[in-house]
Amino acid sequence: MRAKKKFGQNFLVDRYFISKIIKEINPKEGNNILEIGPGKGAITEPVLKKINHISVVEIDPDMIKILKHKITPKKISILAEDVLGINDEFFKKFNKIIGNLPYYIATEIILKLTKIYSSPSELYFMVQKEVAERITAKPSNKSFGRLSVILQYYFDTELLFELPPVAFFPQPKITSAFIRLIRKKRISPKVIDKDSFEQIVKIAFSQKRKTIKNNFKNILLDKDFLNLEISPKIRSEALTIDQFIKLENYVTQNNINFDC
Ligand code: SAM
């Protein structure tokens, strides 16, 4: 059966990398694991060597047929759906969500899970290397941007290792990376309004090469930067996550309108 491009199907075939992935996920009895996009079971089957049951979400009926053939029904709960259409409540019961994500919607999936606040404490995903770099980048790194700030507010993120195209079939044109996101037990300092935070981060990175003064033109005045103790001359990529939080707190507390 041919891999379907429209579903982002690049199957893991390299045993060395598969065992590295399983080692990082470290499935243990008591873990309630959900896998997104199990495909033919390259990760699913070795996980089931460590625990008795797994839940999976897979959009492609052909993959589901293969999985049903390979894995006994009592060990697997299969949801034949588009992961992006599933109700948030569903994800809350899992403490680990894993997957070699379809790259065309990887960021969307991760952002969806981020916003489910009491959702799983650990996420293990394969994504495009550039996306992994953006998710894990620290301030002043060229990859530091909107995705870094939003995700690192909620999670401790780490790029665990890279995988070359030859680890997959068919081989993708890009390098991949395996990442871990561990939800923070306690967030401190905290944002006041999560939607404003997202909006502010969006504005901050709207023109990456410009200074924050420029990106917040008509929103923040020189006196605001003074109060915030943030130089207006720096670029947003130089701000720390705590400074972004401070910025949101300030804007929200002072009722500053940024809906322009
Ligand atoms: N886990 C397998 C592996 O590593 O070999 C397959 C990974 S492949 C990169 C991505 C998988 O996600 C495919 O099985 C694909 O059918 C499935 N998929 C694509 N879009 C999906 C969606 N919106 N919801 C659920 N599964 C999806």
Side-chain angles (χ1 to χ4, degrees), residues 7-12 37-39 58-59 82-83 100 102 104-105:
F7 290 142
Q9 291 178 349
N10 297 98
F11 301 107
L12 258 169
E58 172 58 63
I59 200 169
D82 173 353
V83 66
N100 170 13
Y104 72 108
I105 45 167

Side-chain angles (χ1 to χ4, degrees), residues 6-37:
K6 70 168 176 178
F7 290 142
Q9 291 178 349
N10 297 98
F11 301 107
L12 258 169
V13 289
D14 187 305
R15 285 181 177 280
Y16 166 75
F17 282 111
I18 292 172
S19 68
K20 244 173 116 76
I21 287 168
I22 302 298
K23 214 170 163 185
E24 292 294 348
I25 297 170
N26 189 20
K28 282 193 273 223
E29 275 318 327
N31 281 171
N32 198 359
I33 300 186
L34 172 71
E35 183 182 3
I36 298 172

Side-chain angles (χ1 to χ4, degrees), residues 10 103 164-176:
N10 297 98
Y103 293 161
V166 290
F168 304 87
F169 186 82
Q171 290 186 22
K173 290 195 177 70
I174 43 105
T175 300
S176 306

Side-chain angles (χ1 to χ4, degrees), residues 1 27 30 36 60 63 67 87 99 119 161 174 181 199 205 213 216 220 227 233 244:
M1 186 186 306
I36 298 172
D60 184 356
M63 294 300 123
L67 283 175
N87 193 293
S119 69
F161 52 87
I174 43 105
L181 296 90
Q199 197 60 27
F205 289 104
K213 183 181 163 94
F216 286 95
L220 295 178
N227 290 338
K233 291 192 185 128
F244 275 106

Side-chain angles (χ1 to χ4, degrees), residues 86-94 112 116 118-120:
I86 297 175
N87 193 293
D88 288 356
E89 275 308 304
F90 169 78
F91 297 95
K92 292 187 181 170
K93 56 179 178 281
F94 302 101
K112 176 182 169 83
I116 305 168
S118 56
S119 69

Side-chain angles (χ1 to χ4, degrees), residues 137-145 148 205 208 234-240 243-244:
K138 297 294 168 219
S140 297
N141 180 294
K142 70 172 175 14
S143 303
F144 189 73
S148 333
F205 289 104
K208 257 197 127 179
I234 59 171
R235 289 186 188 157
S236 300
E237 65 195 33
L239 289 178
T240 64
Q243 283 175 314
F244 275 106

